[in-house]
Structure formats: C-alpha cells, structure tokens
C-alpha cells in the first residue's frame, strides 16, 4: 500500500509538472509571437501597447482623395478580413520608384468596408473608406500598394479579485473607444511577477518605443517549472525571453 501511495503521488507531481510546463510554453509562445510581428506604441514595466498586424491587402486602383477611399483586391493574406469595429490600416506610399529613401507607411482610421467596384482586371474589389488622413497623403497611394490591417492590443500584468497576479491581453474596441476586460493568458504568477524591458539597437535600455528593437519578457513562474531546452530559468526562478521586433513603421 505504501508503494502504491508513493507511486500515485509521484504520478500526480509529474502530471502537474507537465501541465505547468505546457501552460508556460503555450503562453510564452503567444506573448512572444504577438510582440515579434507587431509595432510597439507604449511600454512600461508591467504592460505594453502595440499594433498587431492581422491582414495584408493590395490596392488595385489609385486612391480617391475626393472620397478618402482606396479600392483593395478582395483576397487577402492573414487571420481575418478587415473589421472597421477594431481595425486601422497602414498604407504604403512609394515616393520614388528609383529609391527607397522616401518610402513611408501612412496611418489611417478605417471607417467602412463595402463591396465593389471590381479591379481593372475584373477580379472582385472592396472599397475602404478612410479618416484621419491628409489629402496629399492619400494621393501618394497608387495601384499595387500594400495595405496592412492593424488592431490595437495590450499585454499587461494584473491582479484578480482573489489577489493573485496574472498576465493577460485585451484588444481595444475602436467603435466604443473602450478597452474591454483583460483576458488571462498565464498565471497565477509570483507577486509582481511580469516585467518588460526594452532595448535599442546598441543593446542599451530605452524608454522610447520607436527606438526599441528587442524586448525581454521576464516572468516569475511557479517554482515547479523546470528549466529545459526552451525554458531557461535564472537562479532566482525568473524566466527571461528575448523578442527581436520585426516591424518599425512610420506612424
């Protein structure tokens, strides 16, 4: 009986350890994946706000400054189609085809998506009505320009009603101008157990999002988590994950 009880306890401990490691791996994959392909807007010790790129379209006609509108091919790459309730867009303006020195990304608010007209080659198109963009900027958007749909997200450390600390995420709802409740991603974690540290191209700490090229996510994970090939813990039990950013676009 003693052998059976000891075996059951060992099995439960191993199962708890496997579940905890799987949870941390999944959560850290989500957090690092979100930041790696996004554009940082604001950051501090326990939270970061960023533009997450969710889809990619291509214009098929020159922009219409009079209507503040662009016509996009109806097919796209990404997770989902454009949603005016939550998305803004970034439009690529090719200043001089002979050089890349004056190319830029122009930010605009997305007001409405409607079907049609067709593109010049006869394939279906959709019209995106824009706001918050100057006439001279929209004139710079020609046919064949990439257009990226972006949503505003936040990753943050927070405390629940029972006093436990968690890492959560939430997406800004543009139509209501509100942040919804935070959805938990990882936890419970240690007290104040989530920090973000921002570094520039020289490897120095920076507080400027537009100069940030890498971010370290530091997590005070449960002590039953063990180091492994993908989870490297410091001596004090913190898990440090470095994320190199890929997107630094003009705002």
């Amino acid at each position: 009986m003693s052998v059976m009880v000891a075996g059951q306890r060992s099995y439960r401990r191993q199962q708890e350890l496997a579940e905890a490691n799987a949870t941390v791996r999944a959560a850290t994959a989500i957090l690092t994946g979100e930041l790696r392909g996004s554009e940082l807007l604001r950051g501090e010790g326990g939270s970061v706000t960023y533009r997450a790129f969710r889809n990619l379209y291509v214009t098929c006609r020159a922009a219409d400054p009079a209507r503040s509108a662009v016509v996009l091919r109806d097919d796209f790459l990404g997770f989902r189609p454009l949603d005016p309730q939550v998305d803004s867009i970034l439009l690529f303006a090719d200043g001089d085809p002979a050089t890349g020195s004056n190319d830029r990304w122009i930010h605009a608010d997305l007001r409405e998506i409607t079907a049609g007209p067709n593109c010049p080659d006869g394939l279906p198109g959709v019209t995106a009505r824009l706001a918050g963009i100057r006439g001279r900027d929209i004139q710079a958007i020609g046919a064949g320009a990439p257009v990226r749909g972006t949503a505003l997200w936040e990753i943050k450390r927070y405390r629940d009603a029972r006093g436990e600390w968690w890492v959560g995420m939430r997406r800004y709802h543009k139509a209501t101008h509100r942040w919804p409740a935070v959805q938990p991603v990882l936890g419970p974690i240690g007290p104040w157990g989530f920090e973000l540290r921002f570094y520039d191209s020289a490897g120095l700490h920076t507080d400027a999002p537009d100069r940030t090229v890498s971010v370290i996510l530091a997590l005070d994970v449960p002590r039953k988590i063990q180091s492994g090939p993908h989870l490297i813990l410091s001596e004090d039990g913190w898990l440090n994950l470095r994320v190199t950013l890929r997107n630094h676009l003009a705002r």
Side-chain angles (χ1 to χ4, degrees):
M1 181 64 70
S2 297
V3 171
M4 290 179 61
V5 171
Q8 289 176 343
R9 288 176 179 171
S10 176
Y11 173 77
R12 283 197 297 267
R13 284 195 299 268
Q14 292 299 320
Q15 188 176 35
E16 289 175 357
L17 178 61
E19 290 175 353
N21 274 280
T23 299
V24 170
R25 285 192 178 93
T28 52
I30 292 171
L31 298 179
T32 56
E34 277 290 292
L35 292 180
R36 183 174 291 113
S38 301
E39 181 190 10
L40 264 59
L41 300 179
R42 292 183 298 275
E44 54 186 9
S47 69
V48 60
T49 305
Y50 58 96
R51 283 195 188 118
F53 299 103
R54 297 306 190 213
N55 41 59
L56 174 66
Y57 287 77
V58 176
T59 62
C60 63
R61 296 177 182 270
D64 183 352
R67 299 176 58 223
S68 292
V70 291
V71 178
L72 314 173
R73 292 191 179 277
D74 196 18
D75 57 342
F76 66 93
L77 298 175
F79 300 106
R80 56 171 176 77
L82 284 168
D83 181 356
Q85 297 293 313
V86 296
D87 286 338
S88 297
I89 61 175
L90 287 163
L91 306 102
F92 183 74
D94 187 358
D96 182 354
T99 178
S101 60
N102 58 355
D103 296 343
R104 58 198 174 106
W105 288 89
I106 300 171
H107 180 265
D109 189 21
L110 179 63
R111 291 296 189 188
E112 184 184 37
I113 291 285
T114 56
N118 285 347
C119 295
D121 58 7
L123 295 177
V126 294
T127 297
R129 296 291 300 274
L130 311 176
I133 182 171
R134 297 177 298 181
R136 66 181 183 183
D137 285 337
I138 200 169
Q139 286 178 339
I141 310 302
V147 176
R148 307 188 72 173
T150 72
L152 197 62
W153 281 81
E154 182 182 46
I155 297 172
K156 67 178 300 182
R157 175 187 63 212
Y158 72 99
R159 204 170 189 178
D160 68 10
R162 295 182 299 179
E164 293 182 323
W165 288 97
W166 293 74
V167 179
M169 296 174 61
R170 58 182 178 175
R171 183 181 66 181
Y172 184 71
H173 194 267
K174 195 182 63 174
T176 60
H177 305 286
R178 292 181 179 178
W179 287 99
V182 182
Q183 298 299 310
V185 174
L186 174 63
I189 56 176
W192 303 91
F194 176 64
E195 293 182 2
L196 292 140
R197 303 160 192 165
F198 306 94
Y199 298 89
D200 61 18
S201 58
L204 302 176
H205 181 269
T206 179
D207 294 323
D210 58 347
R211 297 180 58 189
T212 300
V213 299
S214 65
V215 180
I216 287 183
L217 290 78
L219 286 164
D220 185 9
V221 297
R223 292 298 181 262
K224 59 186 175 183
I225 301 298
Q226 295 180 341
S227 296
H230 304 291
L231 297 176
I232 307 301
L233 301 184
S234 61
E235 292 182 359
D236 57 3
W238 282 70
L239 171 64
N240 296 316
L241 300 165
R242 180 180 290 274
V243 182
T244 301
L245 307 181
R246 292 198 297 252
N247 291 293
H248 296 280
L249 306 179
R251 301 185 190 135

